[in-house]
Amino acid sequence: MTRWRSRVLALMCTVMAVTACAESNTSVIHTEKSAFENIVVYEQAGERCMKFGSVQAPGRQSCYAIDAPQRLIFDYTRMMFGALYLKPDPARILIIGLGGGSMPTALHTVLPRTVIDTVEIDPAVVSVAKKYFQFKPDDTLRVHVADGRAFVQQALKEGRRYDMVMLDAFDEDYIPAHLLTQEFLREVKAVLTPGGVVAANTFTASRVYDDESTTYADVFGPFYNLRANNRIILAGPSPLPPVDTLRANAASLESRLIPLGVDANALLARFSSRKDWAATGKVLTD
């Protein structure tokens, strides 16, 4: 394929709302320019996915298997479910960042009586999740269009508390800076119930890995670190439960998590409380 032809094909895949990109085996079914991002929905290899920017942009915001929509595609989402090994019976969960809604939908399946508040800053993402990713809010699976930090601050003012807070907000590059700071994490800690858990999706190869780790340790103390391509931080206002407790909770949840693709043995093997960041890391502040 000539370079010129390749570029033309890539442009067609990016800008056309319904396109069959035969040579890349990708079908773009929706594009939308919101106030925040260019949102692209496409299908490839039996999966429907959402990206920010273009089909060629690195990373994917959300995907589901067309023939098995309940199964979690991304390794990081399965690792995020490790939060349930620390807190297996949350009554209220807050998720910051929606994407296609695969994680709140999966949690709703596992915990149908749990109130799940998902906060998404971009109303276009909410609309796309509902139309193209089978995200179906109801009385206990709720979605709010707001900045995640502002939502946490409002919850504090109103005295609302959560047993679990999941941080999964990304723009095209990384986590928004105001959701990485000591001040924000203190607000998250304050909105957690005693024994509550924060689960944060970050990158193993992040350029701020040392600073990010130092900041979480400053606010929460020791935390569980689960690493693959993504890194999941699990922490809370109370001391971490021991490994025996994690194993017992994993066993009690196994039958409900297997249909999602969560392998308890593989997940437990990733739990580590070892400090793996440089002592030169700095606390990130506003």
Side-chain angles (χ1 to χ4, degrees):
M1 183 187 297
T2 66
R3 181 177 299 180
W4 176 85
R5 189 181 176 196
S6 177
R7 287 178 177 174
V8 169
L9 187 62
L11 180 63
M12 290 172 64
C13 288
T14 302
V15 302
M16 294 181 66
V18 180
T19 303
C21 300
E23 295 189 49
S24 63
N25 198 29
T26 300
S27 296
V28 177
I29 59 176
H30 180 73
T31 62
E32 181 172 343
K33 179 66 176 176
S34 77
F36 297 90
E37 305 284 355
N38 185 50
I39 303 167
V40 183
V41 180
Y42 66 97
E43 292 182 358
Q44 184 180 51
E47 297 176 0
R48 177 172 291 184
C49 299
M50 178 193 299
K51 277 192 178 186
F52 292 159
S54 71
V55 169
Q56 292 75 34
R60 300 178 291 176
Q61 300 302 315
S62 188
C63 288
Y64 76 89
I66 295 170
D67 62 350
Q70 188 181 25
R71 179 167 53 85
L72 294 169
I73 294 292
F74 294 157
D75 196 22
Y76 93 84
T77 54
R78 296 191 290 271
M79 288 197 293
M80 288 284 272
F81 271 73
L84 294 177
Y85 294 175
L86 279 70
K87 186 72 175 177
D89 56 351
R92 293 175 64 88
I93 297 175
L94 172 61
I95 303 173
I96 296 178
L98 175 66
S102 60
M103 193 156 58
T105 298
L107 282 165
H108 188 47
T109 300
V110 173
L111 304 165
R113 290 186 292 276
T114 298
V115 174
I116 301 171
D117 287 319
T118 303
V119 182
E120 170 57 51
I121 196 171
D122 192 343
V125 169
V126 176
S127 177
V128 168
K130 290 177 179 177
K131 186 172 182 179
Y132 295 100
F133 289 87
Q134 303 185 20
F135 177 61
K136 299 175 182 179
D138 58 27
D139 290 343
T140 56
L141 180 60
R142 310 187 301 204
V143 64
H144 311 265
V145 176
D147 176 83
R149 184 164 181 179
F151 189 92
V152 169
Q153 291 169 342
Q154 188 63 34
L156 285 172
K157 289 179 182 178
E158 296 175 2
R160 287 182 281 117
R161 298 294 182 267
Y162 291 90
D163 300 307
M164 190 174 292
V165 176
M166 293 183 152
L167 305 178
D168 191 27
F170 284 77
D171 55 27
E172 192 173 340
D173 298 315
Y174 194 51
I175 301 166
H178 70 300
L179 303 182
L180 282 172
T181 65
Q182 176 193 61
E183 292 87 349
F184 171 63
L185 294 181
R186 285 175 175 170
E187 292 164 354
V188 170
K189 185 177 181 180
V191 85
L192 284 169
T193 58
V197 177
V198 58
N201 178 27
T202 72
F203 287 176
T204 300
S206 167
R207 61 180 177 79
V208 295
Y209 186 96
D210 296 335
D211 297 341
E212 195 173 61
S213 303
T214 299
T215 305
Y216 271 87
D218 177 79
V219 174
F220 292 102
F223 57 81
Y224 280 120
N225 213 14
L226 286 69
R227 289 178 48 128
N229 290 328
N230 289 52
R231 184 265 290 260
I232 305 301
I233 294 171
L234 300 177
S238 302
L240 296 173
V243 173
D244 286 347
T245 299
L246 301 180
R247 291 197 185 103
N249 290 337
S252 70
L253 291 162
E254 188 170 19
S255 63
R256 284 181 280 170
L257 297 187
I258 283 177
L260 306 181
V262 178
D263 182 312
N265 290 329
L267 187 52
L268 286 167
R270 287 179 172 171
F271 274 75
S272 172
S273 56
R274 181 178 61 87
K275 183 177 178 180
D276 67 349
W277 57 91
T280 54
K282 296 179 175 59
V283 173
L284 300 169
T285 67
D286 288 342

